Amino acid sequence: MPSSDFVDSHVAFLYASQTGNAESICYNIYETAVQRGFNATYNVLDDYAKFGFSELRTIVFVVSTTGDGDPPDNSARFWRILRKATRSDKHAYAHLRYAILGLGDTNYSNFCNTAQRLDKQLEEAGARTFYKKGLADDATGMEEVVEPWIDGLWAALSQVAKCKGDSDVAETVETEKDVEAEKDVEEAAEALAELNVEAADNATSTEGSVEPAPHEVQPLVLDFRPMAQTPSITNVARVTAPVCTATYEDTPVEPHSPDFPPWSAELISSHPSDPSLTPFLAAIASSTQMTAPEALKRTLLIDLELPSSASHVDGQWRAGDAFNIYAPNHAPLVRALLDRLQISNSDAHKHVRLTKRNPSIELPAHLQRFSNTSSSIYDILVWSVDLCAHPRKPLLRALAEYCNEKADRERLLFICSRQGLKTFEALRNQTPTVLDVLHAFPSCVPPVERLIELLPPLAPRSYSICNAPGGNVWKIAFNVVEYELTLDVFSLDEEKGAQSVRVSRRGVCTPWLEQLAQTQEKPQILVAKRPNINAFHLPTTSDLKPDPQPVIMIGPGTGVAPFIGFLEQRAHELQLHPQSNPFMWLLFGCRDATLDYLFKSDIQAHVDSNVLTRLSACFSRNAGSFTSAGKYVQDALLANQNEFAELMLQKNAVLFVCGDAKGMGKDVNDTVARILCNYVEQHPEFVRPLLQALPESKLPVDLEAKVLTAPQALQVLMVWSSENRYVRDLWA
């Protein structure tokens, strides 16, 4: 709890964000804090030197977790200096009071790991919390934690930081917002009473409600029948105030390449603390489809040709590294959105400059460059904001203010309320674009500058390099993300029977890459090496010994990509050190051995040359064939659990896992823990050393136990992870 004499004159709001959610939430909290009268600043964690992190006394952190427990890329440097400071001085941050809001997903093993680690390290360095930690779960709806946490923050913050100027500012802002929220609830209740439409109409698809833009607008299926049984709504998300204005010039922007951001030169000339992370232009040299035409997914292998100007990455990357691609929103989607916002093509391409409405409130980080350098609304929509991000309640709540029809406004308010939670979840589960949302509420026409400040930033997309150094090429393998959802349409008309609507969805980056590779000759795209924060690397050549550490690699589907680089690296090392005898075991999985067995010839070549000691290939659609090691990779692990456990417990093997975090990653994690329990039950001599290696716990540990419990086995995996013996590169 905060001490009574600790009252700061400044509050820092810091974020770490991979997809933009944490950044947007942090910005909304910062904006509200300034409106309440706090002297506040807002920064990304990796800018720690810019804002003097070590001197700050009051901080509110908003941090997400990526992969299966990794911190976001834009906090990688911060974590290094934090570890360094806390190791050298156990009281390094005794002057600091902080609060943490963590974003995560319980579908993954290490829920909110970034927030948990940050809290632990700050506490160990003497810092103290002034407000309870919030851990929001995207699996159940982040708003269920985020909104109450923010509501409770202000009372706690007022105890450790003072408002500048009029001491009544905070109370006045709170009163105004409470009145506004009450007004919203009253208006919604009145509208609910006035709504006199049949339930079947309230529960049908929005398809046909407006004239859709060709090939882009997809219907939403939302059930508003519960509105008729709702006397009033509560806990409506509060609307944030607009923060930017747009000033247009009469001249259009100069023509530029549509394949990379117009401000690429600024990014290329930037000077990050790690020069190898500087973005550069690379050419798509070739593209090959790896899967059969009849395969469920379409997987491409693309070769990127690195230019001589990218000398800053020479010798600075290894097998297992990944890089970011700066991809645009789909151009037809942007054009359709501009039409929906009633912006002409000529206005969309005029120079525009964004400025702050309130001098005390900074623009969102991804829009700040446009206060100094003019661009066009079209380019901002294409390159700077994510039009396909999951809609959040603050966006929907703000859109309600721009509805000309009462029914649209009240439906949006209902979605933002506690009573409309199921409808909100149904909307999110349909993964709509912002254009789909606007077409679902036809009278909603927000100003474009308001919309772009509400949308999260468009983050670069990350891909593993699937080759080893030895040329000027980066190879990537990826599934082209295009799919359909089948949505049930509600109806009370029994004669109509069950109905459904099929909607199309597409990813941001992969369809664009495919189109570029097919339609242009060596098109250039903007890329940047990504920091390898989870040590996803094989031992270096100098570490190889006659009997080196065994390596186990688990990578179904495109998760095998970095392991192809591992095998190339190991093949090269064996040419230099033929006396070495490394054990390499690959567990690969796909649907069908004849349709989507990625890198089959490469893998077999490494088996034939004894680079790959053991291969377990699993095929979920022909698991009974004599060539399949099981249906899924975890089945192959269980079938060979004794050998696996011996490698991990007796031979100090390193386990690498790459692929989907929610499904495969979690299943493999649980399977490995189960194997440990099974093995030590037969070999109880391993129980004591495993328990002794666990971190201190408030729960008593029986060192004389003969078995390992499931929670203890999961703790063992966390210890191995901290020792870089269990290394995962997982994605959502």
Side-chain angles (χ1 to χ4, degrees):
M1 296 298 296
S3 58
S4 58
D5 60 346
F6 188 91
V7 180
D8 201 353
S9 60
H10 169 255
V11 184
F13 292 86
L14 308 180
Y15 67 88
S17 182
Q18 192 70 23
T19 63
N21 274 335
E23 179 179 344
S24 295
I25 292 171
C26 185
Y27 182 82
N28 289 341
I29 302 173
Y30 151 76
E31 179 189 357
T32 304
V34 174
Q35 292 172 343
R36 286 172 171 270
F38 289 101
N39 177 23
T41 53
Y42 147 85
N43 287 282
V44 63
L45 278 175
D46 262 0
D47 282 348
Y48 59 87
K50 171 183 171 183
F51 57 78
F53 176 78
S54 61
E55 304 301 319
L56 297 177
R57 301 176 66 207
T58 307
I59 302 177
V60 176
F61 295 94
V62 183
V63 295
S64 64
T65 296
T66 186
D68 193 34
D70 301 323
D73 290 353
N74 58 12
S75 64
R77 296 194 302 274
F78 167 79
W79 279 102
R80 287 196 290 270
I81 68 105
L82 181 64
R83 285 193 295 266
K84 183 177 179 181
T86 53
R87 285 172 183 169
S88 60
D89 183 359
K90 293 300 181 184
H91 303 284
Y93 297 110
H95 58 284
L96 177 64
R97 300 296 182 269
Y98 67 93
I100 295 178
L101 174 61
L103 312 183
D105 190 326
T106 48
N107 284 307
Y108 304 140
S109 302
N110 294 317
F111 173 63
C112 281
N113 191 49
T114 303
Q116 304 277 29
R117 284 179 56 199
L118 180 61
D119 188 27
K120 181 180 179 182
Q121 289 206 238
L122 290 175
E123 184 180 19
E124 290 176 349
R128 296 172 61 190
T129 60
F130 70 83
Y131 181 51
K132 64 183 180 181
K133 179 170 56 185
L135 301 178
D137 183 7
D138 197 36
T140 57
M142 288 193 296
E143 282 78 7
E144 289 295 290
V145 171
V146 170
E147 291 171 5
W149 189 89
I150 295 174
D151 288 342
L153 171 66
W154 308 117
L157 188 60
S158 65
Q159 296 182 48
V160 295
K162 60 184 179 182
C163 295
K164 61 182 179 180
D166 186 354
S167 61
D168 295 328
V169 168
E171 184 178 349
T172 301
V173 172
E174 177 66 21
T175 301
E176 289 175 351
K177 289 199 171 185
D178 283 344
V179 170
E180 179 185 331
E182 290 174 7
K183 180 182 177 184
D184 289 337
V185 172
E186 290 171 2
E187 290 181 355
E190 292 173 5
L192 289 171
E194 294 173 5
L195 279 175
N196 186 23
V197 291
E198 294 185 9
D201 293 333
N202 266 343
T204 56
S205 159
T206 60
E207 186 177 27
S209 57
V210 293
E211 193 66 27
H215 311 299
E216 286 301 334
V217 178
Q218 301 293 323
L220 293 181
V221 176
L222 300 174
D223 184 4
F224 288 105
R225 289 176 297 180
M227 290 180 68
Q229 287 80 43
T230 305
S232 64
I233 58 175
T234 57
N235 291 82
V236 178
R238 290 174 178 158
V239 64
T240 57
V243 297
C244 77
T245 58
T247 305
Y248 292 86
E249 301 175 11
D250 288 334
T251 56
V253 297
E254 297 74 17
H256 55 79
S257 171
D259 301 334
F260 45 85
W263 45 89
S264 293
E266 172 192 335
L267 299 173
I268 292 171
S269 61
S270 63
H271 299 284
S273 59
D274 183 350
S276 71
L277 304 182
T278 304
F280 61 92
L281 294 175
I284 298 178
S286 65
S287 172
T288 306
Q289 183 165 329
M290 305 180 73
T291 49
E294 59 270 34
L296 181 66
K297 298 179 180 179
R298 191 165 67 257
T299 305
L300 300 185
L301 177 67
I302 279 183
D303 286 12
L304 280 181
E305 191 176 89
L306 310 186
S308 57
S309 60
S311 57
H312 59 282
V313 298
D314 287 348
Q316 300 300 313
W317 68 277
R318 297 165 58 183
D321 281 339
F323 66 95
N324 290 326
I325 295 178
Y326 292 76
N329 287 304
H330 194 38
L333 169 61
V334 175
R335 288 193 291 268
L337 178 60
L338 289 167
D339 288 342
R340 179 65 179 76
L341 296 174
Q342 303 172 7
I343 298 174
S344 68
N345 185 62
S346 60
D347 286 345
H349 287 85
K350 287 180 180 178
H351 281 278
V352 66
R353 194 180 298 273
L354 303 180
T355 54
K356 297 184 288 186
R357 283 177 175 264
N358 183 338
S360 300
I361 301 179
E362 297 295 333
L363 294 178
H366 60 292
L367 300 180
Q368 289 177 6
R369 66 161 43 90
F370 306 116
S371 63
N372 300 317
T373 305
S374 64
S375 186
S376 70
I377 286 296
Y378 179 84
D379 287 332
I380 293 173
L381 288 174
V382 169
W383 292 102
S384 289
V385 293
D386 195 341
L387 304 182
C388 301
H390 286 297
R392 295 182 53 248
K393 284 187 179 180
L395 168 66
L396 302 174
R397 176 62 186 86
L399 291 181
E401 298 301 300
Y402 301 99
C403 293
N404 296 319
E405 297 292 336
K406 195 170 186 178
D408 283 341
R409 171 180 165 81
E410 304 315 332
R411 286 185 174 188
L412 280 166
L413 289 175
F414 176 73
I415 291 174
C416 295
S417 71
R418 174 169 293 172
Q419 290 73 21
L421 178 60
K422 289 186 177 180
T423 308
F424 172 69
E425 291 174 347
L427 186 150
R428 279 177 55 91
N429 290 340
Q430 294 173 49
T431 61
T433 67
V434 67
L435 177 63
D436 299 332
V437 173
L438 289 175
H439 273 278
F441 303 94
S443 72
C444 182
V445 187
V448 67
E449 61 268 28
R450 180 64 164 141
L451 186 63
I452 60 178
E453 72 183 36
L454 291 166
L455 292 171
L458 181 59
R461 270 43 179 180
S462 178
Y463 298 91
S464 297
I465 302 172
C466 55
N467 61 294
N472 64 335
V473 172
W474 280 348
K475 296 177 181 286
I476 57 170
F478 58 85
N479 296 322
V480 179
V481 180
E482 291 179 332
Y483 60 97
E484 287 191 339
L485 294 174
T486 300
L487 308 175
D488 292 329
V489 178
F490 307 93
S491 178
L492 297 184
D493 188 342
E494 295 182 0
E495 294 182 1
K496 290 183 179 180
Q499 299 181 51
S500 63
V501 174
R502 294 183 69 81
V503 297
S504 299
R505 296 288 182 248
R506 56 179 282 141
V508 170
C509 188
T510 56
W512 171 70
L513 285 175
E514 181 183 39
Q515 183 181 23
L516 279 183
Q518 292 176 348
T519 59
Q520 297 188 35
E521 181 70 24
K522 287 195 172 183
Q524 289 188 312
I525 61 175
L526 189 67
V527 301
K529 178 176 169 288
R530 185 183 175 192
N532 196 324
I533 55 180
N534 56 1
F536 204 87
H537 289 143
L538 279 177
T540 60
T541 304
S542 59
D543 294 332
L544 277 180
K545 302 175 178 125
D547 188 21
Q549 217 170 0
V551 171
I552 305 169
M553 303 166 288
I554 301 177
T558 54
V560 75
F563 301 135
I564 301 303
F566 279 14
L567 293 170
E568 285 187 11
Q569 174 184 326
R570 190 49 55 89
H572 176 69
E573 291 170 345
L574 288 175
Q575 290 178 347
L576 300 176
H577 304 275
Q579 76 282 2
S580 183
N581 184 32
F583 180 90
M584 301 276 285
W585 181 7
L586 173 64
L587 295 98
F588 169 75
C590 65
R591 291 173 63 88
D592 193 298
T594 61
L595 302 180
D596 48 13
Y597 192 157
L598 307 182
F599 298 102
K600 182 177 181 179
S601 59
D602 300 80
I603 292 171
Q604 189 58 50
H606 288 303
V607 171
D608 295 340
S609 63
N610 295 320
V611 172
L612 184 57
T613 315
R614 182 166 183 176
L615 171 64
S616 298
C618 306
F619 311 113
S620 60
R621 292 302 178 268
N622 41 25
S625 70
F626 70 93
T627 59
S628 180
K631 187 173 184 180
Y632 302 113
V633 288
Q634 54 267 35
D635 297 327
L637 273 180
L638 282 171
N640 300 277
Q641 58 180 304
N642 285 340
E643 181 180 0
F644 172 82
E646 288 168 1
L647 286 166
M648 296 300 297
L649 294 174
Q650 299 183 36
K651 298 189 177 180
N652 199 37
V654 182
L655 172 61
F656 293 94
V657 182
C658 183
D660 167 54
K662 185 179 293 188
M664 182 278 303
K666 188 175 187 301
D667 290 343
V668 166
N669 193 75
D670 293 343
T671 300
V672 173
R674 177 182 167 189
I675 288 173
L676 283 179
C677 293
N678 293 345
Y679 188 79
V680 299
E681 186 175 357
Q682 303 299 321
H683 302 82
E685 66 273 15
F686 287 102
V687 175
R688 187 180 183 90
L690 287 174
L691 293 178
Q692 287 177 325
L694 297 182
E696 292 185 10
S697 172
K698 296 179 182 178
L699 299 176
V701 176
D702 181 8
L703 295 178
E704 303 303 321
K706 302 300 182 184
V707 296
L708 197 66
T709 66
Q712 289 170 340
L714 291 172
Q715 282 188 296
V716 170
L717 298 188
M718 295 180 67
V719 171
W720 286 353
S721 179
S722 67
E723 298 171 347
N724 291 332
R725 288 192 55 219
Y726 179 32
V727 191
R728 292 174 291 180
D729 184 5
L730 304 176
W731 57 79

